[in-house]
Amino acid sequence: MTDNAQQQPSAPHTELPTQYAPADVEGPLYERWVERGYFEADAKSDKPAYTVVIPPPNVTGSLHLGHAFEHTLIDALTRRKRMQGFETLWQPGMDHAGIATQNVVERELGKEGKSRHDLGREAFVERVWQWKGESGGQISGQMRRLGDGVAWSRERFTMDEGLSQAVQTIFKRLYDDELIYRAERIINWCPRCLTAISDIEVEYQDDDGELVSMKYGEGDDTIVVATTRAETMLGDTAVAVHPDDERYKHLVGKEILLPLTGRSIPVVADTHVDPEFGTGAVKVTPAHDPNDFEIGQRHNLPSLTVMDEHAVITAHGPFQGLDRLEARSAIVAALRAEGRIVAEKRPYVHSVGHCSRCKTTIEPRLSMQWWVKVGPLAKAAGDAVRDGRVKIHPQEMEKRYFDWVDNLHDWCISRQLWWGHRIPVWYGPNGEVVCVGPDDEVPTGEGWHQDTDVLDTWFSSGLWPFSTLGWPEQTESLAKFYPNSVLVTGYDILFFWVARMMMFGLYAMDGTPPFHTIALHGMVRDQFGKKMSKSFGNAVNPLDWMDKYGSDALRFTLARGANPGVDVPIGEDWVQGSRNFANKIWNATRFALMNGATVDGPLPEPSAMSATDRWILSRLNSVVAEVDAFYEDFQFAKLSDALFHFAWDEVFDWYVELSKTTFQAGGPAAEAGKRVLGEVLDVTLKLLHPVVPFVTETLWTTLTGGESIVVADWPTDSSFRDTAAEREIESLQAVVTEVRRFRADQGLQPGQRVPARLELDGTPFAAHEAAIRQLLRLQPEGEAFSATATLPVAGATVALDLSGTIDVAAERKRLAKDLAAAEKEKAQATAKLGNEAFLAKAPDNVVDKIRGRLAKADEDITRIQAQLGRLPAA
């Protein structure tokens, strides 16, 4: 804990409103934090650095629950580190989102009846910048709503001047090191976005299609192949079989007729072919299939492109000009007419790749593109985790990381777009190729032109941990804040983004990885565990919940579900429950202020404190240590749950209630209690602050008079423990809990007063009779007291006179009826579980359900019999 006498001035206790209204305080509070510069980071500071970059949201985006979840976790980490005295930088910024942004602006142009080609490249790019200035980046305002403590003065954009220089610099270095090259290969092509996309931007789903088996060749030289893409047969340049397949050995090396085309194609032997699958023969279309391309390379086959960038057939003949799907039907019909169709299977469900941006079916296509040779870069990225320089949390996610980086294919980095970082390569009139760095002269003269492609968005975002700090310049910020302390991101972009940053960071920064720890979290799902989607009708706008319940409520709900690497279910009821928690904190602090709780001066000596005070301080220090350990292990759910139960169950429901008796009695114990209550709330609010910043700031500044909880000292464990006081209060709690349970069982109202005699002699909590009576609504025993129920618990005896409060005969009758029902349920369940024939036929889930009914019946019988035994004689 902290020494509040030195930390903050005496608190001018102003009165809090009776209810907490988040909408009235959140906006002004956040702006005050920003104006005072609490979130800025000083590269000249001698404090230890703590750096986290924001996973840059798309400039086209808006805050969704996934953002709110991730930002809550990062904000909690950085707020705590700031309070611990670190020079804390949470680096904000946005990604230019090449394909997504270009699509948005092209749709806007479409409303005007124009295309980007009507404007030309330069004017179109200017139009995108204009859109970015007017409409892009609305997520920044929504981040403020959430309470993100980012260094706004350092906000970056992946297309700003500094980051563009970084992109050009690393491209030039990689090119000079022969790690970037240009080659014609099969790529994933989106006919809608009209660009190449990387493997990790392809989403696979099961689609209904058709599997067509067709006969190539004539007479004895026939062979049957099957395909789901009949239209590509126009580009076949071979049929492949396995070298050891005896069925086709007589055909290997021969030429056979390719139907509909008038061409002959060879039969080749290749070990890639699985002789056990289908007919054991496959058609080879090198320009339209990645595996076929490799076969073609091995056998020097020609590559015939039969579709243009719109997936329209370009091959000569009757199918020219048809869309690929139209051509598919037409070609199957033509083959059927020639008697070439051997079998047709519809529907044939198979996995089909779709563009992650527009959901169009992708088309494998042979194309000249720019590539990164990832072999040495990926090895370095794998080694950094294997040798412990970078830790992945949770550790079980390492396998997914290694599976990816150890098997990484060369990365296609060129995109056929106009919005993005243009590839810094110029071509001359005589075949010259010049890569230009930021300090190089651009070739000029007749015939020189720049490559028209732009770079994959992930190329620039892969530089994010160091480009945002001024690299390639050796800035003070780069020296201070690189490498990042931790990267907090979803496991879903482990391959998209994390692997790219690892490769580029190690390459550009002389083997220093971009971060020490990669903390992976799961995805936010609805309360039933289903993926959130507009099409499912379960998508939630987090702003709606923030408007309704407050930002703190949303944040606390998200953090409380955040187990490392595990998906997070969330429902509105849970957010409402978190709002109730915020209200509970508010009301407890109001009680403390009204009763003179203070943070002034040192804590009383333990000898001057009551057992209640010593108990709560002992528990408080344990919770400080527990929360710190959970933070270091990124266990947000556990730390949030620990704080919830400590604050609600122990501080609010027990300590505050027990303090009421102390305050009513007055005297030295009450004065000591006021200081302890102030300390407990001071520390509890600090512990809660990183997750629920707004309500804690309002309450803490009112309680302490301090400047801001944002810059207050993080609590430390003072090592004060009092196990005797903890045992004493735990015994008291046992008595109160047991009597409350008995009262509830007898149907007594919570506020209903009952005469009672307490026999506490010999118990460690004998001095707490007044508190026990107040908590349990127990009146002193009168002259006519008759002990109709006696409860022995924790070494004490509580005798109750229920003669004037319940109808014993009616209660016995009700309980007897419940007991009979429970015994009948037990008998039925026991009979079924003893029936061997039933057990042999019944599904496991049915048997488990009956076992559960039996266990519940046993519990009910035990409970009801105990209630009957405690009732007085009728």
Side-chain angles (χ1 to χ4, degrees), residues 613-629:
D613 289 338
R614 285 182 279 113
W615 159 71
I616 199 64
L617 288 177
S618 182
R619 287 292 305 125
L620 181 65
N621 277 286
S622 295
V623 170
V624 169
E626 188 178 14
V627 167
D628 276 334

Side-chain angles (χ1 to χ4, degrees), residues 305-551:
T305 300
V306 296
M307 276 180 266
D308 66 12
E309 65 268 25
H310 297 280
V312 171
I313 301 298
T314 57
H316 294 297
F319 312 109
Q320 186 174 5
L322 295 179
D323 172 80
R324 57 182 166 170
L325 298 182
E326 296 172 334
R328 182 175 300 172
S329 300
I331 287 169
V332 170
L335 289 169
R336 191 183 298 112
E338 289 189 4
R340 296 276 181 177
I341 298 298
V342 176
E344 297 179 68
K345 185 176 182 180
R346 294 188 189 88
Y348 178 72
V349 179
H350 62 131
S351 182
V352 177
H354 296 260
C355 173
S356 62
R357 300 293 181 185
C358 69
K359 312 308 176 187
T360 301
T361 300
I362 62 103
E363 188 64 44
R365 186 169 187 256
L366 186 62
S367 179
M368 183 68 74
Q369 302 286 344
W370 286 94
W371 305 80
V372 171
K373 186 185 294 183
V374 300
L377 301 174
K379 182 182 183 304
D383 290 345
V385 174
R386 287 190 169 95
D387 64 25
R389 281 175 290 158
V390 178
K391 297 188 183 302
I392 294 179
H393 191 280
Q395 190 173 1
E396 53 265 27
M397 286 286 181
E398 282 186 2
K399 183 180 184 302
R400 296 182 65 170
Y401 177 80
F402 292 136
D403 285 347
W404 180 256
V405 297
D406 293 347
N407 299 285
L408 204 55
H409 299 296
D410 284 1
W411 173 19
C412 177
I413 55 171
S414 46
R415 299 291 180 268
Q416 289 64 55
L417 303 170
W418 287 356
W419 173 244
H421 295 281
R422 196 162 173 182
I423 288 176
V425 172
W426 270 254
Y427 305 103
N430 299 311
E432 302 95 334
V433 179
V434 177
C435 181
V436 177
D439 299 322
D440 297 335
E441 292 279 341
V442 174
T444 57
E446 187 176 350
W448 283 92
H449 64 280
Q450 186 178 0
D451 196 298
T452 57
D453 288 351
V454 301
L455 288 163
D456 177 11
T457 297
W458 296 104
F459 190 94
S460 53
S461 60
L463 315 180
W464 192 247
F466 52 94
S467 63
T468 52
L469 298 173
W471 187 91
E473 301 298 324
Q474 297 304 305
T475 64
E476 288 182 322
S477 289
L478 189 64
K480 178 73 175 179
F481 297 113
Y482 187 92
N484 288 193
S485 306
V486 62
L487 173 73
V488 180
T489 191
Y491 62 69
D492 59 322
I493 56 172
L494 184 61
F495 318 129
F496 283 91
W497 189 44
V498 179
R500 312 298 193 206
M501 288 189 290
M502 286 286 284
M503 291 191 296
F504 282 164
L506 289 159
Y507 173 79
M509 300 300 291
D510 300 321
T512 301
F515 18 72
H516 297 301
T517 303
I518 302 167
L520 298 171
H521 59 72
M523 304 295 102
V524 178
R525 297 181 177 272
D526 71 13
Q527 59 188 316
F528 306 108
K530 191 175 182 180
K531 180 180 178 180
M532 285 192 171
S533 167
K534 290 181 179 178
S535 60
F536 295 156
N538 63 350
V540 174
N541 182 346
L543 293 176
D544 292 341
W545 282 353
M546 286 192 280
D547 288 342
K548 193 170 183 180
Y549 303 111
S551 298

Side-chain angles (χ1 to χ4, degrees), residues 586-597 655-657 659-660 663 677 681:
W586 185 270
N587 292 333
T589 308
R590 285 189 72 246
F591 166 83
L593 291 171
M594 289 188 293
N595 284 276
Y655 180 66
V656 167
E657 291 301 316
S659 295
K660 290 178 181 178
F663 293 152
L677 178 55
L681 284 175

Side-chain angles (χ1 to χ4, degrees), residues 94-111:
M94 286 183 291
D95 192 282
H96 66 278
I99 296 176
T101 305
Q102 180 156 318
N103 283 346
V104 168
V105 178
E106 285 196 84
R107 281 197 297 270
E108 294 296 314
L109 284 174
K111 295 174 184 177

Side-chain angles (χ1 to χ4, degrees), residues 614-691:
R614 285 182 279 113
W615 159 71
I616 199 64
L617 288 177
S618 182
R619 287 292 305 125
L620 181 65
N621 277 286
S622 295
V623 170
V624 169
E626 188 178 14
V627 167
D628 276 334
F630 285 144
Y631 262 116
E632 295 305 315
D633 199 35
F634 305 101
Q635 297 283 356
F636 296 99
K638 290 183 178 178
L639 73 89
S640 299
D641 212 47
L643 285 171
F644 174 86
H645 287 294
F646 173 70
W648 193 307
D649 299 345
E650 297 187 72
V651 177
F652 306 151
D653 279 358
W654 285 104
Y655 180 66
V656 167
E657 291 301 316
L658 290 169
S659 295
K660 290 178 181 178
T661 307
T662 305
F663 293 152
Q664 288 169 2
E671 293 307 309
K674 291 174 183 178
R675 179 64 188 89
V676 172
L677 178 55
E679 177 78 4
V680 170
L681 284 175
D682 172 34
V683 174
T684 302
L685 290 171
K686 287 176 181 175
L687 293 174
L688 285 166
H689 173 72
V691 181

